[in-house]
Amino acid sequence: MVVTVCSTSAEVVHADIVEQILIRLDVKNLIRCKRVCKSWNSIITSPGFVNRSYNKDRYNEIGHRRISSTDHHLIGSSNGLVVVCNSPCIYSKFLVGNPLTREVTRLRPPPCIPSPLLCWGFGHDSANDDFAVLVGARAGENENENENENENPTSFQVQLQVLRLSTNVWKVVGEVKYTFITNAGILCNGALHWIVEDQSRKILIISYDISQEVFKEVCQPDDPKYERGSSSRLGIVKGCLCVYAGDENSFIWLMKEYNVKESWERLPRGREMKYDIVHYLRSPKRESLFRIEESCFSGTSEYICVPMKHIDDPVFMQSLVSPYVNRKREEKTEATRQVTAMGLQTSLPSSSVYYYYSSFLLNL
């Protein structure tokens, strides 16, 4: 297969060469290149190319890219997709989208949630190449809370439900009996993590393996200097799970090798850390606490933030991944039509853009 690179000349380039050139570009330029011609669009949207297109960033000096929102409740982010809801209360409405490609779709609301959400998270299932949204809410009272005065009176059954993007169906994956100290699941090593307090008032770090759908306890530092309590928080530093005391000036304990107790390391105060780039989702067009709009995925505002400021915000990876995982194409077409009608996509003059990007690639 060959691809015409410049419409004003007879030069042609094999598709595999064009692919090797395109893969060097960052995601924002790849999105523009999709509009150049059908052959480029076919290359860029192919599953193999999409999977190779992320995990690269032109800013090597930053710590992490992170996603944040001041107007929506952020459930989580993974491989370029972001999940938000209008409120962690009953009858929440969920959206999943890619802020760079501006693709967005609504998720089915979780059924039978009698109370506000106590925990939540979102991540990629690498074993099945799928994505999962997790929410947890109170399932019932602690029947034995008056029988043992040493038990935590705030501990009760939490029912957890998971929705996979490929099916858009919620299912119950289990119940746990913890008090959740942290609510947002921190994604690391294919699992979501929370700090909880069990019935005996012991502070634990638990994880939910997205592929295996199992809960596990994560080892903590075995060091007298390590302090745990209700102010403890989780985050991501240098791609590793970390624990800190909720204060920007507190010590950070970093787990350098996942779930290996001996790998925990305490970072000193005054340590030098790289700055983060934080992407803020756009505010809704109509201000309402209980309204959530697709327009929040019409792009992001980027800011360079000091270290520790957003340590517990989800890591955001720029990618071409679509929220329509194995979903019907007509559903995607209809949703794209609606987003376009809202003025969230722009069209570029095909001839001029084709010539510009053809010349650009030939000069690489």
Side-chain angles (χ1 to χ4, degrees):
M1 176 182 176
V2 294
V3 178
T4 302
V5 176
C6 182
S7 58
T8 59
S9 70
E11 297 183 37
V12 292
V13 178
H14 283 276
D16 57 345
I17 297 178
V18 174
E19 180 176 344
Q20 293 303 315
I21 297 174
L22 289 172
I23 201 66
R24 301 180 187 180
L25 304 179
D26 60 23
V27 173
K28 290 184 177 179
N29 277 323
L30 286 173
I31 293 171
R32 296 187 182 100
C33 286
K34 286 169 60 177
R35 301 188 180 101
V36 171
C37 62
K38 289 183 178 180
S39 59
W40 286 17
N41 180 76
S42 178
I43 292 172
I44 294 170
T45 56
S46 65
F49 189 93
V50 170
N51 291 333
R52 295 170 57 200
S53 65
Y54 54 82
N55 268 332
K56 64 180 188 293
D57 202 305
R58 64 169 179 255
Y59 297 109
N60 296 321
E61 295 78 18
I62 68 169
H64 290 286
R65 288 185 180 271
R66 301 184 187 269
I67 193 77
S68 188
S69 177
T70 57
D71 300 284
H72 301 92
H73 186 75
L74 197 59
I75 298 296
S77 177
S78 179
N79 288 18
L81 298 184
V82 180
V83 176
V84 297
C85 69
N86 56 324
S87 170
C89 298
I90 309 173
Y91 309 122
S92 297
K93 297 179 180 178
F94 290 78
L95 292 178
V96 57
N98 185 325
L100 297 187
T101 65
R102 300 180 179 181
E103 291 181 296
V104 57
T105 185
R106 288 181 180 267
L107 299 177
R108 184 173 299 171
C112 304
I113 292 185
S115 63
L117 300 181
L118 298 175
C119 62
W120 50 82
F122 174 66
H124 180 240
D125 176 0
S126 58
N128 301 294
D129 194 20
D130 202 352
F131 292 84
V133 183
L134 179 144
V135 297
R138 186 170 182 168
E141 298 290 340
N142 181 0
E143 297 178 355
N144 301 318
E145 64 182 4
N146 295 323
E147 296 183 9
N148 189 345
E149 62 181 8
N150 294 322
E151 286 190 356
N152 186 351
T154 63
S155 177
F156 41 75
Q157 293 290 131
V158 178
Q159 185 184 81
L160 297 123
Q161 300 184 50
V162 167
L163 175 144
R164 293 187 175 273
L165 297 194
S166 59
T167 62
N168 198 25
V169 174
W170 291 93
K171 73 171 183 177
V172 176
V173 293
E175 292 186 358
V176 294
K177 201 165 189 178
Y178 294 122
T179 299
F180 279 80
I181 294 175
T182 60
N183 307 110
I186 300 298
L187 182 63
C188 181
N189 202 57
L192 297 166
H193 301 78
W194 299 269
I195 297 178
V196 299
E197 188 177 64
D198 68 7
Q199 293 176 265
S200 61
R201 300 180 184 274
K202 183 180 179 181
I203 304 297
L204 308 172
I205 299 176
I206 63 169
S207 69
Y208 174 77
D209 188 294
I210 297 172
S211 296
Q212 299 180 11
E213 296 188 337
V214 295
F215 288 91
K216 302 175 183 178
E217 182 179 343
V218 178
C219 65
Q220 298 185 67
D222 187 12
D223 191 306
K225 296 179 182 179
Y226 175 66
E227 299 179 357
R228 65 194 82 180
S230 59
S231 64
S232 297
R233 296 293 180 268
L234 294 174
I236 297 293
V237 172
K238 300 179 181 179
C240 301
L241 188 70
C242 69
V243 182
Y244 66 105
D247 184 346
E248 293 183 15
N249 298 315
S250 66
F251 286 106
I252 296 178
W253 287 86
L254 189 70
M255 186 166 59
K256 300 178 71 175
E257 188 174 349
Y258 185 74
N259 211 17
V260 176
K261 180 178 289 189
E262 294 75 20
S263 73
W264 282 101
E265 176 185 347
R266 189 176 77 157
L267 302 182
R269 286 194 178 101
R271 67 261 165 199
E272 291 186 4
M273 295 177 63
K274 293 182 178 180
Y275 285 74
D276 288 337
I277 292 182
V278 179
H279 297 247
Y280 284 91
L281 293 177
R282 291 189 177 176
S283 301
K285 294 181 178 180
R286 304 176 188 177
E287 296 183 1
S288 172
L289 288 175
F290 301 101
R291 184 178 182 85
I292 185 167
E293 295 182 346
E294 285 83 350
S295 59
C296 69
F297 287 102
S298 61
T300 61
S301 302
E302 299 179 23
Y303 298 92
I304 297 179
C305 293
V306 296
M308 291 290 295
K309 188 70 174 178
H310 292 267
I311 190 173
D312 55 351
D313 278 341
V315 172
F316 177 64
M317 183 183 297
Q318 298 184 110
S319 81
L320 295 169
V321 175
S322 170
Y324 303 94
V325 179
N326 298 328
R327 302 280 288 280
K328 295 179 180 179
R329 185 171 183 83
E330 54 266 25
E331 183 179 345
K332 175 179 177 179
T333 303
E334 173 62 18
T336 303
R337 185 195 63 76
Q338 293 177 2
V339 173
T340 304
M342 296 170 63
L344 304 184
Q345 290 186 335
T346 58
S347 58
L348 301 176
S350 57
S351 58
S352 59
V353 174
Y354 187 94
Y355 182 81
Y356 172 81
Y357 277 100
S358 299
S359 302
F360 169 71
L361 291 183
L362 285 174
N363 290 325
L364 285 178

